[in-house]
Amino acid sequence: MTILLLLAPVGLPLAAALVYAAAGWRPHTTAWMGVVTTALLSADAIGLAVTVTRHGPVDTAGGLIRADALSAWMLLGVAAVALLACWASPAYLAAEHPHARRARWYGILLHLFIAAMAVAVLAGNLGILWVAVEATTIVTAFLVGHHRSRTALEAAWKYVVICSAAIAIAFLGLVLLYYAAQHAGLTGNDALDWATLAGHAHQLDPAVTRIAVGLAVLGFGAKAGLVPLHAWLPDAHSQAPAPVSALMSGVLLPVALYAVLRVKAVADPALGAGYLRTLLLILALTTLALAAVQLIGQRDFKRMLAYSSMEHMGLIALAAAVGTRPAIAALLLHMAGHGLAKTVAFLSAGHILYRHNSSRITDVRALATRTPLLAGLFGLAIVALLGFPPAALFASELGIARAGVGAGLAWATAAAFAFVATAFAAITAHSGRMLLGPPPMTEPGAAPPAAFTPATAMPLIAGLLGVAVLGITLGPVAGLLQAAASTVGAP
Amino acid sequence: MNGTALISTAVQVLVVVAGAPLLVGLMRQVRARLEGRAGAGIGQPWRDLRKLLRRAPATPTGTGWAFRLAPLLLVGTSLVLAAVVPLLTTASPLDRAADLFAIVGLLALGTVTLALAALDTGTAFGGMGASREMTILALVEPTILVAVFALSARVGSTNLAEIVTTTQHDPLRVASPASLLAAAALLIVVVAETGRLPVDNPATHLELTMIHEAMILEYAGTDLALVELAASMRLTILLGLLTSLFLPWGIAGASLAALPLALAAFVAKVAVLGLALGAVEVFIAKLRLFRVPELLAGSFVLALLAVASSFFLV
Amino acid sequence: MTDISYPLYLDLAAGLFLLTAVGVLWRHQLSAMIRLFALQGAALAAIVAILGIHQHSLELVLVALGLGVLRAGVLPYLARRALGDSPAEARETRPVVNVAASLLAAAALSLLAYAATRPLVALAPSPATGILPAAVAVVLIGFFTLVARRRALSQVVGFLLLDNGITATAFLAAAGVPLIVELGVSFDLLLVVLVLQVLTTRLRTAFGSSDLDELRELHD
């Protein structure tokens, strides 16, 4: 039974991709298959969470696939966001009217992407984790360039080159970690197995481990949008189709930070908490500063959402730097809340883009009077991202602040939240300009676009409900969150 | 002072003086044959020198001591170099002066005097040739120093005779990365320093392409003969330096008995190297002037890597 | 292979490995860069083969053969196909950092690599770990090529140099990573190059050339 639970998250999306490869994307039949498979994936994730809470970590395939509380939490996040993205994809593609071949590739690549992320969170071996993260880069390269326009191709090129180079640096870090592990007595697959490494961490040579861990954090951090290799993020997230942007912002960035957390679990016993704490603090604060500054003069609302993702990843990196159990718990809650809220934001931004044919903020006015439902959903998503209660982000940001001050990093936390406040002001100003104000005069002869039906709005409403519920009560997942925090958090 | 050492050094200097124009003639003959011409024969440079020596030197008005001094200084430094560099024998009486830095300094002294003489003429060609030559010299000097330093790091001394003797006793050292990298760097540098293709065409008189020829344009008669002889001697010495550092077999120690063998070995090695250089010159084109710093920067990197590997590799 | 000549052969192969990386920064012609990259692939295969022969490991020698086929055969072939036929495409005309400065930067990066990898060599001194600095230097030079060149294909070659350096580090430091990871990595590398080749073709169709200086439309 557990083997099925462990292999299904990979098998289900792969099966969906095969069906798309064979049958293509038909608007009324295969288009909805994605919803079925991701719903099954969500059920599987819940089952896995229950198993792990009751019985502790489970594994199969000789330890290559392992699930503990942290993996189960991440898988829940992946499944939830994937469900929303697949639910919204048919409406998105129906509005776009792409060629049948391009729609088929969209279906195949989307599900391969979900499969790769499932492998990444369930990998027991750091090498498998690396291969999965690299696979996501390859698969999303074509998804980012889906529109085949000049800007989309430019974004795809930058994305592949920068992320592949960053991931290669992370691989160098893993190779050096393997080298250190071999000299600590571990061999073969065990030398990269994160559980075994964490157990033998005291025997690793400190100087080599320092270099290895630094490279791995820089490489995976670049994939999460942390400075200095972040230049791909605004371009890729703004040029990709909306469901893909949602998946990338909502899940891929957190999965990259999940990899950093796994490396941290090995590094802290070997080197002491100070080294990674300093490194992650520097990365977090510079990322927050850059994101806040770029948000101020922003002219494109999709790039605005991308920089907002960078800002939130900076906050998550700050929480990882603090490293205590409350900090990690707040971090995981933030990942979940941000994933859902950002998904809704990107999906509604996609609809706004389709309606107004432009992604400039100045071209979009008075959404609230013209399309109230869409404006309401977009507005609520932005409100959730800004950290207002009852969104989960309010609780998690409060948790990160308390944990930061409690661990003695009051100055850094204060600086970080100053940047967050700057970003808050900028996003509010831009969104207000988009949503409020008098409607412009309609151009004569302009055909009104298709109405934004409640059916199309269902996935967005579901996402917002999820963020709200998560913010009010953790309910059944509280135990899972505590268990996940204790796997990587220092007491 | 050791008598045998004195005799060996004297023979070495004589061989260099007599053989340098022959080497230049050999290279020109090889080029001619490969280009399908009959060629003027190996002895032509000696015939040219004899003709020039019979003519009166001409000194342009307005030139000063630099112009008159340069040919003498050039020949002088070349003769000292011929005595000091271990070509036929490692037991030269000037052994203590056979230091890497001294040799590089002597080479540079010669080049600088010629450049000063070119500036002294006051013509456009002279100034242009001098400035181009200085650009090349600025990049060539550090490379020679660093490349030979890479070889000296293992030996523990910058004395060229010691380096040659140590390499004779340990032949496998030549195949090490440090040695190979230094050889590549030195080859490029020798080509640049002696004004061969692809850095400078020795047979051209076009304004756009002259470097060495531009500097000696105003010389005539005995002065020109001295300058040409000095240039061919420097070519011979540098090629001989290359073979001594990397193919030192046959070089005599202190004994006189090994001298004929050393002479034969030297002539053979330098002739083969000259032949190869001449043949390659037929097939390559001259580099544009602003690409020359790239080539020389590359050779500097090779020399640096040679030093790094000599310190860090097994 | 006798014990005396094993370090020598290893050093020679490592020297060629590093030299081809410097050569990529030196040359202007894209086709020359690809040829140098192929030569580097052969040098990498030679390093692994020498290690395999010294350790009497048939597995390593077979891996070396596979590496040679992949990195000296398949990948340069794919890169050459992406080069296209137009002669205007064939050169790197205005690199971001000019050639002389790039070469000096390469020398500086090599020295940095030697300094930074001292703990690695100190952990297990041997002829194999002694040439780790050369492999790390190739990683740094590959990253520099990625940053300092404007043509799309030069960036691809830079990325491939980076990857060659990392593979060399893996084999020198640890006699290769677990086989399953090595297979995954090679497969990923192949896919990345295919992706980049397709993107280059699409870039050329959309922009008319693969000069990345043209990619200036996305900015804040």
Side-chain angles (χ1 to χ4, degrees), chain B residues 228-239:
Chain B
E228 295 271 344
L229 180 65
S232 48
M233 280 174 69
R234 285 163 68 106
L235 176 64
T236 316
I237 292 166
L238 281 172
L239 287 182

Side-chain angles (χ1 to χ4, degrees), chain A residues 64 125 127-128 130-132 134-135 138 141-142 145 148 150-151 153-158 160-161 164-165 168-169 171-172 175-176 178-180 182-183 188-189 192 205 207-208 211 229 234-235 238-239 294 298-299 303 307, chain C residues 116-117 119-121 123-124 129 132 139 143 146 152-153 155-156 159 162-163 166 169-170 173-178 180-181 184-185 188-189 191-192 194-196 198-200 202-203 206-207 212 214-220:
Chain A
L64 287 177
N125 185 310
I128 305 276
W130 183 88
V131 171
E134 168 78 347
I138 297 170
F142 290 117
R148 307 273 176 102
R150 287 165 67 114
T151 44
L153 281 177
E154 179 184 340
W157 179 267
K158 256 170 125 171
V160 176
V161 169
S164 301
I169 293 177
F171 184 61
L172 182 60
V175 163
L176 293 179
Y178 181 75
Y179 177 50
Q182 273 197 324
H183 284 274
N189 281 336
L192 278 179
D205 179 87
V208 176
I211 302 176
L229 292 167
D235 299 342
S238 61
Q239 295 302 313
Q294 292 288 21
Q298 200 47 245
R299 283 175 295 204
R303 282 177 85 89
Y307 278 114
Chain C
T117 51
L120 297 176
V121 180
L123 182 59
T129 50
L132 263 179
V139 170
F143 198 69
L146 195 61
L153 209 61
Q155 290 198 342
V156 173
F159 170 70
L162 181 69
D163 200 83
I166 295 178
T169 316
V177 286
I180 184 168
V181 177
V185 171
D188 275 340
L189 179 66
L191 284 180
V192 167
L194 278 169
V195 164
L196 288 174
V198 172
L199 279 180
T200 317
R202 286 192 195 167
L203 271 176
F207 286 87
L212 291 172
E214 307 272 331
L215 271 59
R216 263 177 281 140
E217 299 189 13
L218 284 176
H219 57 88
D220 291 306

Side-chain angles (χ1 to χ4, degrees), chain B residues 177-215:
Chain B
S179 188
L180 291 174
L181 285 170
L186 276 175
L187 189 61
I188 298 178
V189 147
V190 162
V191 161
E193 176 75 31
T194 54
R196 314 296 307 180
L197 284 167
V199 174
D200 179 18
N201 190 346
T204 184
H205 281 95
L206 294 174
E207 170 186 338
L208 283 175
T209 57
M210 289 194 287
I211 302 180
H212 183 258
E213 294 299 314
M215 293 194 289

Side-chain angles (χ1 to χ4, degrees), chain A residues 227 275-288 321:
Chain A
V227 163
Y275 175 65
L276 266 189
R277 173 175 278 193
T278 325
L279 182 60
L280 281 171
L281 258 182
I282 297 174
L283 291 178
L285 287 174
T286 38
T287 312
L288 277 166

Side-chain angles (χ1 to χ4, degrees), chain A residues 120-313:
Chain A
V121 297
L122 289 177
N125 185 310
L126 285 174
I128 305 276
L129 172 61
W130 183 88
V131 171
V133 175
E134 168 78 347
T136 61
T137 313
I138 297 170
V139 167
T140 41
F142 290 117
L143 280 175
V144 167
H146 176 85
H147 293 260
R148 307 273 176 102
S149 62
R150 287 165 67 114
T151 44
L153 281 177
E154 179 184 340
W157 179 267
K158 256 170 125 171
Y159 174 56
V160 176
V161 169
I162 297 180
C163 281
S164 301
I167 266 299
I169 293 177
F171 184 61
L172 182 60
L174 286 183
V175 163
L176 293 179
L177 195 60
Y178 181 75
Y179 177 50
Q182 273 197 324
H183 284 274
L186 304 168
T187 52
N189 281 336
D190 274 348
L192 278 179
D193 184 288
W194 48 254
T196 327
L197 271 175
H200 287 256
H202 299 282
Q203 296 165 315
L204 296 172
D205 179 87
V208 176
T209 316
R210 198 168 290 133
I211 302 176
V213 164
L215 286 172
V217 166
L218 276 174
F220 283 123
K223 195 85 173 94
L226 298 179
V227 163
L229 292 167
H230 63 281
W232 60 273
L233 204 156
D235 299 342
H237 285 234
S238 61
Q239 295 302 313
V244 175
S245 298
L247 267 175
M248 286 173 77
S249 263
V251 190
L252 187 53
L253 302 185
V255 166
L257 281 173
Y258 161 81
V260 171
L261 282 178
R262 286 288 184 210
V263 171
K264 188 171 192 301
V266 173
D268 281 351
L271 301 170
Y275 175 65
L276 266 189
R277 173 175 278 193
T278 325
L279 182 60
L280 281 171
L281 258 182
I282 297 174
L283 291 178
L285 287 174
T286 38
T287 312
L288 277 166
L290 190 89
V293 166
Q294 292 288 21
L295 275 170
I296 296 178
Q298 200 47 245
R299 283 175 295 204
D300 180 314
F301 58 81
K302 282 188 92 172
R303 282 177 85 89
M304 176 184 84
L305 291 176
Y307 278 114
S308 158
S309 293
M310 249 178 91
E311 174 212 340
H312 286 280
M313 289 305 123

